[in-house]
Amino acid sequence: MTPTPGSSGSCPSMPKLPEAVNRARAAVGGVLEAEKLALIACSGGADSLALVAAAAHHVRRGQARVGGVVVDHQLHPDSAEITATAAAQLRDLGLDPVLTLAADVDPSSPDGPEAAARSARYRAFGQALAETGAAHILLAHTRDDQAEQVLLGLARGSGTRSLAGIPARRGPFLRPLLGLSRKETEAVCTHEGLSWWEDPANADPKYLRSRIRTEILPTLEQRLSGSIRESLARTAQIAAEDAAYLEAQAKEAFARLLEDPDEQGDLRLDLERLVAESPAIRRRVIALAVVAVGGSNPSSERIAAVEQLLVRQGSAGPVELEGHVRAERGTRDTSDYGKLVLGPRR
């Protein structure tokens, strides 16, 4: 491990705190609740250590209860040392309790190593919440991460929800640093005298996110706009608001179109009324129906395949969807005529 050294505290002749420190403290203070334990997920990188330092400020002032969780993915030769160093810094800053947990990453996962590591990490987070009774886990995603996520969504041809990027809040997970840049988190660590490590995977071109971080975003800054990261983050915020509205409308439409499930667990949607919905609402209703019968969020390609079932001249199905779910259209010689039927595959 080759840590990046930070310098000690601010000069006595310059008592004013760096703006990055003030911004980080204010952002974290806005989500902490004095009576509820929160955990900081710390990797030992600059972003998560800056989050820890900002939270520790509120702990010292008696305004919050904050612990930490350091997840060892066991993917780096020095992972045990990196984990121990990060945990020690958390304890030195006054966080309690501090958990170190090993993540069980499946290297053969069909979703790829990044997704496998993420799944293992969130399983560890669930364990940490259960063991400590914490109300929240704070994650250190920054504005740079948000910009990268928007570009990933564009590259995958995803919809509004994907372009909305990383949510500031989802379930017990909070991301208070989405308004700060990576440079600002490094400035916080430097001010606090913290040493952070650079994960080599962040610069490994075999990962798409790494290529976006090290090649594509710098090129866009140089050739298109120096404020491209801020613009992409602003796009994510607008898309998130639009997506939230559309999803609320889709839930209302789903409730109107849904018939009671039968004994086999199938559900039915009125086909004519579903076709009459706008495409943005119709696609979301189909996705809600897939999840309602036990499936996973379907891809845009699978949703498009289901939409083809709504055309009476086309195939009546079935279409296979994520999570072992099928969708088919009732035909004239069935009792489900005029319905879109979704249920477990048989």
Side-chain angles (χ1 to χ4, degrees), residues 46 68 188 196 220 247:
V188 171
W196 66 91
L220 290 175
E247 286 163 7

Side-chain angles (χ1 to χ4, degrees), residues 98-121:
V98 175
L99 283 68
T100 58
L101 300 174
D104 184 16
V105 181
D106 179 9
S108 62
S109 171
D111 297 324
E114 290 178 287
R118 183 183 185 278
S119 296
R121 182 163 60 252

